[in-house]
């Protein structure tokens, strides 16, 4: 049995670990935090559960390739059935309410003047309805349950592949600008950060309309815990609160991983923590390969602030996911926001005491420098409190029933993600701006040294964590002459 050490029990590390353990490696996962899941997490505060990770799980539909990974790794089980909400977003704007439903043809009723751009958008979305994140076997590998490669499936993906370079060349905001109706524009801006490329918008809309994205009940933490349980039942070991300090090599030969306690001797090491952080922190001297230098020079990060409220009010008469247009912009983290995308968990009884509601909001944008400066100036806590107070005040204007009813507050800034998960500049996923290439780490650096996770492939999120985790386990199997066993 060869020994494998994986650094990080995020979704990618867990997936890689499950497949490697099943394929005969003696696998240990080192995790800095006290829980599995990495940035895909939820937590409890005074009776409330705050979902700080999964909002849309792609691959939720049975039969799509990614769903096989979620099933094989035990991520989706009877204890977390997937819920497919519809409408997916609801715009609240000066007394008006507009729904974005999975059936996109319903948008016509709101904007007859946009009949033509809407028809075009539905055509683009339709092209992507046959596109699935590919999950293939790598070449020259013995695989116990090989994946079938269907030529028909491949041909069906053709239209999406042809549209991809065009949609990558401009932003979602530019795409949305072709609609004349301002409410429709605001509604569509809730789907993805409008500054990222238009491909992300169309791909996400297509995952709604094809019924492939949902929310596993019990949230991120239950899903990650399911995977951690699958891994340990297979005989794998997870060492929580045990950060890896250094990958030890002699020339190109891997010796193991240093923790604060000892050297964990290993035949192979997979780094699933943020690769941009790892290339500087885990190697002495820092990794100097051309791809690593390019990553240092060019990588841009996606950052966000996450605000959660426990409200002593029942919001079940309100939509589940609201795009709330503000009369006055909200200022937080050095950024300004004209709209808030707010998740209302009132219909999930596990998330709050009876009659109460957990409410969350992600404010995306580059706020890392602002918060870093605030910490250096000793103003971090005060500015966070100010941002939370302004957020509550803005939200109370739109939802008067929460006024004076907020009993629990919580806020994560990029510094929080940096502290818990050591993501570079506290980023929460990969950045995918128009015409921007991802500056990725290779899956295989040398025999015995591998990367996986969100900085190893386009574009980001859980699909990338899952697919690269599986592919990395295959590369490790090939290098060590092991058969890849998926189930
Ligand atoms: C608020 C929010 C909402 C999101 N919503 C969605 C969504 O709806 N859909 C979607 O697809 N994606 C979403 N994402 C993104 C998705 O969660 C991430 O892209 C994905 O979880 C990344 O997984 P990963 O395994 O690559 O990395 P990570 O989650 O970063 O895992 C790396 C792990 O390594 C650990 N680690 C770091 N340093 C060390 C060390 N030195 N030693 C040991 N361990 C270490 C970290 O603690 C972490 O557990 C969201 C993320 C956030 C934060």
């Amino acid at each position: 049995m060869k020994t494998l050490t994986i650094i990080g029990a995020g979704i990618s590390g867990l997936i890689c670990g499950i497949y490697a353990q099943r394929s005969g490696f003696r696998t240990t996962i080192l995790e800095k935090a006290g829980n599995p899941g990495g940035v895909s997490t939820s937590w409890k505060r005074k009776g409330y559960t705050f979902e700080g990770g999964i909002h849309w799980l792609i691959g939720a539909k049975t039969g799509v390739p990614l769903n096989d990974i979620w099933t094989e790794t035990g991520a989706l089980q009877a204890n977390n059935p997937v819920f497919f909400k519809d409408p997916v977003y609801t715009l609240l704007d000066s007394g008006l309410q507009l729904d974005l439903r999975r059936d996109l043809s319903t948008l016509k009723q709101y904007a007859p003047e946009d009949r033509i751009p809407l028809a075009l958008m539905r055509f683009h979305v339709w092209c992507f309805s046959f596109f699935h994140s590919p999950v293939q076997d790598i070449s020259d590998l013995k695989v116990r349950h090989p994946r079938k490669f269907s030529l028909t499936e491949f041909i069906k993906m053709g239209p999406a592949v042809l549209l991809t370079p065009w949609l990558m060349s401009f932003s979602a905001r530019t795409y949305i600008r072709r609609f004349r109706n301002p409410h429709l524009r605001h509604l569509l801006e809730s789907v993805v950060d409008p500054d990222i490329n238009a491909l992300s918008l169309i791909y996400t809309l297509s995952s709604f309309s094809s019924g492939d994205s949902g929310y596993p009940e019990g949230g991120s933490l239950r899903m990650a815990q399911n995977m951690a349980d699958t891994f340990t039942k297979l005989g794998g070991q997870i060492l929580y609160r045990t950060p890896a300090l250094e990958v030890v090599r002699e020339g190109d030969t891997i010796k193991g991983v240093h923790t604060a306690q000892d050297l964990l001797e290993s035949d192979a090491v997979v780094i699933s923590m943020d690769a941009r952080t790892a290339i500087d922190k885990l190697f002495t001297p820092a990794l100097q390969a051309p791809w690593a230098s390019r990553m240092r020079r060019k990588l841009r990060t996606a950052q966000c602030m996450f605000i959660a409220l426990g409200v002593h009010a029942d919001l079940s008469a309100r939509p589940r996911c609201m795009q709330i247009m503000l009369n006055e912009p909200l200022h937080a983290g050095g950024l300004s926001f004209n709209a808030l995308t707010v998740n209302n968990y009132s219909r999930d009884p596990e998330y709050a005491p009876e009659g109460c509601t957990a409410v969350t909001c992600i404010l995306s944008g580059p706020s890392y420098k602002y918060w870093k400066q605030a910490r250096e100036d000793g103003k971090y806590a005060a500015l966070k409190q100010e941002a939370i107070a302004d957020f509550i005040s803005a939200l109370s204007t739109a939802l008067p029933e929460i006024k004076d009813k907020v009993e629990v507050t919580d806020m994560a800034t990029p510094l929080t993600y940096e502290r818990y998960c050591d993501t570079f500049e506290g980023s929460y996923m990969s950045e995918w701006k128009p015409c921007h290439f991802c500056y990725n780490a290779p899956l295989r650096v040398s025999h015995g040294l591998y990367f996986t996770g969100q900085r190893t492939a386009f574009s980001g999120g859980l699909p990338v964590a899952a697919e690269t985790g599986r592919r990395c386990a295959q590369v490790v199997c090939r290098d060590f002459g092991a058969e890849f066993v998926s189930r």
Side-chain angles (χ1 to χ4, degrees):
M1 251 189 161
K2 294 289 180 191
T3 51
L4 172 67
T5 300
I6 297 178
I7 300 174
I11 299 301
S12 199
L14 288 167
I15 288 177
C16 185
I18 290 167
Y19 286 125
Q21 183 71 24
R22 233 176 231 151
S23 304
F25 288 83
R26 194 181 316 129
T27 312
T28 301
I29 303 183
L30 299 176
E31 172 52 54
K32 179 177 185 281
N35 290 315
V39 298
S40 186
T41 192
S42 26
W43 59 91
K44 292 199 184 296
R45 286 273 183 288
K46 300 180 187 165
Y48 290 89
T49 300
F50 294 134
E51 173 58 76
I54 301 170
H55 292 75
W56 297 110
L57 181 71
I58 306 248
K61 184 164 114 178
T62 321
V64 304
L66 205 55
N67 187 263
D68 292 345
I69 300 188
W70 300 131
T71 314
E72 286 165 2
T73 55
L76 296 181
Q77 300 185 19
N79 68 359
N80 61 345
V82 179
F83 176 73
F84 295 90
K85 63 183 164 189
D86 195 13
V88 285
Y89 290 101
T90 302
L91 177 80
L92 304 185
D93 190 2
S94 325
L96 260 172
Q97 187 163 323
L98 272 72
D99 288 331
L100 177 61
R101 295 201 161 271
R102 288 180 186 263
D103 176 0
L104 296 176
S105 70
T106 56
L107 288 174
K108 269 190 306 214
Q109 61 179 310
Y110 304 127
E113 69 274 35
D114 284 320
R115 209 166 28 87
I116 294 172
L118 270 173
L120 256 177
M121 182 178 84
R122 284 180 58 210
F123 170 69
H124 296 148
V125 167
W126 174 82
C127 290
F128 276 83
S129 55
F130 305 107
F131 180 86
H132 301 299
S133 296
V135 178
Q136 297 294 333
D137 295 321
I138 62 169
S139 55
D140 301 327
L141 172 72
K142 194 169 172 215
V143 181
R144 183 154 322 159
H145 305 286
R147 288 195 67 82
K148 302 264 181 311
F149 177 75
S150 147
L151 193 61
T152 328
E153 280 294 304
F154 183 72
I155 292 167
K156 278 194 200 162
M157 288 201 210
V161 173
L162 291 175
L163 276 180
T164 293
W166 174 64
L167 288 170
M168 277 172 67
S169 67
F170 56 95
S171 70
R173 196 184 299 283
T174 308
Y175 189 97
I176 290 168
R177 243 184 243 140
R178 62 183 60 192
F179 298 101
R180 276 186 287 168
N181 185 299
H183 302 300
L184 182 60
R185 284 206 298 262
H186 294 322
L187 184 59
L188 289 171
E189 279 168 7
S190 61
V191 177
V192 293
D193 173 356
D195 290 325
I196 64 176
N197 66 35
L199 176 64
S200 308
L201 172 71
I202 298 299
Y203 181 64
T204 308
L205 287 172
S206 129
S207 79
F208 295 152
S209 69
S210 66
D212 184 27
S213 55
Y215 179 73
E217 286 177 15
S220 300
L221 195 53
R222 185 170 303 161
M223 185 172 122
Q225 193 59 56
N226 278 350
M227 298 166 89
D229 291 346
T230 307
F231 175 68
T232 48
K233 275 186 201 145
L234 288 166
Q237 175 180 223
I238 307 184
L239 302 178
Y240 291 110
R241 296 192 179 84
T242 312
L245 300 182
E246 191 186 347
V247 175
V248 184
R249 301 188 293 173
E250 257 176 37
D252 264 352
T253 309
I254 290 291
K255 290 287 160 195
V257 180
H258 259 307
T259 66
Q261 287 76 36
D262 50 22
L263 170 71
L264 202 70
E265 287 181 15
S266 329
D267 298 302
V269 173
V270 170
I271 298 169
S272 91
M273 66 181 278
D274 188 319
R276 174 63 189 89
T277 308
I279 55 176
D280 287 341
K281 268 202 172 175
L282 286 187
F283 296 89
T284 317
L287 268 190
Q288 291 304 339
W291 62 264
S293 311
R294 208 166 37 240
M295 213 179 193
R296 280 188 193 96
R297 275 199 323 274
K298 302 210 167 174
L299 182 89
R300 286 188 290 183
T301 55
Q303 299 158 19
C304 78
M305 295 168 279
F306 175 86
I307 300 186
L309 306 180
V311 184
H312 200 128
D314 179 2
L315 297 189
S316 51
R318 295 287 188 178
R320 284 175 189 269
C321 188
M322 298 170 264
Q323 169 80 339
I324 296 174
M325 300 311 296
L326 302 175
N327 298 328
E328 300 276 322
L330 170 75
H331 301 286
L335 305 170
S336 123
F337 301 88
N338 295 317
L340 302 176
T341 311
V342 174
N343 289 291
N344 159 17
Y345 291 93
S346 56
R347 291 166 188 83
D348 299 86
E350 290 179 65
Y351 283 57
E354 211 181 327
C356 303
T357 306
V359 170
T360 65
C361 176
I362 297 175
L363 300 169
S364 8
S367 64
Y368 178 73
K369 282 190 183 141
Y370 173 93
W371 291 110
K372 202 163 174 228
Q373 189 61 50
R375 189 174 58 190
E376 280 162 23
D377 297 344
K379 294 183 183 158
Y380 182 71
L383 287 173
K384 246 172 94 162
Q385 284 314 316
E386 198 178 303
I388 293 171
D390 290 350
F391 174 77
I392 294 173
S393 155
L395 199 59
S396 306
T397 310
L399 310 177
E401 61 270 46
I402 74 158
K403 199 165 182 330
D404 302 326
K405 296 282 174 57
V406 177
E407 52 184 17
V408 181
T409 63
D410 204 356
M411 178 173 181
T413 72
L415 299 200
T416 318
Y417 295 109
E418 183 181 56
R419 182 155 45 95
Y420 280 102
C421 293
D422 228 340
T423 58
F424 186 69
E425 293 178 345
S427 66
Y428 78 119
M429 50 167 121
S430 310
E431 174 84 317
W432 216 21
K433 290 262 166 80
C435 299
H436 178 73
F437 293 99
C438 293
Y439 294 94
N440 292 329
L443 279 188
R444 180 185 189 276
V445 177
S446 58
H447 182 91
L449 180 60
Y450 312 88
F451 281 93
T452 181
Q454 61 174 330
R455 299 234 189 274
T456 54
F458 281 165
S459 57
L462 295 162
V464 163
E467 193 279 322
T468 60
R470 179 183 181 278
R471 193 149 43 93
C472 184
Q474 290 207 333
V475 174
V476 174
C477 285
R478 184 172 61 189
D479 271 5
F480 287 86
E483 181 188 26
F484 179 79
V485 184
S486 56
R487 49 181 195 263

